[in-house]
Amino acid sequence: MIVFVTGTDTGVGKTIATAALAVHHGPDVAVVKPAQTGSDETDVDVVARLTGCEVAQFTRLADPLAPDTAARLRRVAIPAIGEHAARIRELARHHEVVIVEGAGGALVRLDTAGGTLPGLAADLARDHRVRVHVVTRIGLGTLNHTELTVEALRARGLEPAGLVLGSMPRALGLAERCNLTELPRLTGAPVLAALPEGAGALTREEFRDRAASWFRTP
């Protein structure tokens, strides 16, 4: 199986969600980041630190921009979506589950030819079981962003498996309490997990122990 982790925006908690999914689906899991931009500690570094699972990163770009923008700025080439797909298929031959974390939001381009995470998922879905998880915020403004992301995925033939709340505060305000109900009602996608804020600061042992129970469905 191939699991895709996309989000409504950058900074919503995709990497922590990816790490939690790796624990949930373990032990035979590999995590892939097709394109990484900016950041001293990369997303796959974070996943490896929290989980200890196998990780792979295909493209690294120094500037904290969308991948195709960062590549054009430096006049470098990014492997095309077809090459990403081939490398992920190879990993899937050797692992029960491969988790792919996108960059930024769902329609951020992963290569300079215009390939996006939904296009990559649709390509791989031809010969693999594919599940797409949408990571979103719980606070004010999330309804519009989440509905747009889910709508964009469905328009490309991908039905989200569900939503992941990327950073659940300890104290919920009015908007957060309402959105727990409104997000699944408006999108038609279930909330599969609510990840506690600060989860990325846990030790590996703490993270693995707690993350195993965060997801409600396989």
Side-chain angles (χ1 to χ4, degrees):
M1 179 171 66
I2 298 175
V3 175
F4 284 86
V5 180
T6 190
T8 57
D9 199 355
T10 191
V12 295
K14 292 189 302 296
T15 299
I16 303 306
T18 298
L21 278 163
V23 173
H24 180 72
H25 284 290
D28 188 13
V29 175
V31 169
V32 175
K33 182 80 174 184
Q36 171 76 54
T37 63
S39 181
D40 292 330
E41 185 181 40
T42 68
D43 293 344
V44 291
D45 290 337
V46 173
V47 171
R49 171 170 58 81
L50 291 174
T51 70
C53 73
E54 180 181 336
V55 298
Q57 179 179 278
F58 297 163
T59 299
R60 176 76 189 277
L61 299 156
D63 299 291
L65 302 166
D68 70 323
T69 305
R72 292 176 191 280
L73 179 67
R74 299 292 178 178
R75 294 185 173 87
V76 299
I78 305 179
I81 285 294
E83 184 174 334
H84 291 325
R87 296 177 71 175
I88 293 168
R89 283 189 176 94
E90 181 61 23
L91 280 170
R93 290 181 58 243
H94 302 285
H95 295 278
E96 185 176 345
V97 178
V98 176
I99 303 175
V100 182
E101 180 189 348
L107 299 188
V108 167
R109 295 181 177 187
L110 299 179
D111 62 27
T112 48
T116 62
L117 194 75
L120 178 59
D123 183 330
L124 291 165
R126 291 198 296 266
D127 49 13
H128 288 86
R129 181 186 173 205
V130 166
R131 289 173 59 88
V132 180
H133 292 70
V134 177
V135 184
T136 187
R137 295 184 174 91
I138 185 63
L140 190 65
T142 192
L143 298 179
N144 180 63
H145 294 161
T146 308
E147 285 186 80
L148 286 171
T149 300
V150 169
E151 182 178 301
L153 290 169
R154 287 176 175 149
R156 290 157 177 80
L158 296 170
E159 179 60 33
L163 310 176
V164 178
L165 306 179
S167 183
M168 178 67 77
R170 292 176 179 84
L172 300 183
L174 177 62
E176 288 81 6
R177 292 196 303 273
C178 290
N179 288 340
L180 283 172
T181 300
E182 293 299 285
L183 280 167
R185 183 181 75 83
L186 294 174
T187 64
V191 174
L192 299 180
L195 311 184
E197 63 181 0
L202 297 171
T203 66
R204 179 181 297 177
E205 291 73 19
E206 291 171 331
F207 187 87
R208 291 187 62 87
D209 181 58
R210 299 180 192 182
S213 63
W214 287 339
F215 280 85
R216 300 171 188 171
T217 61

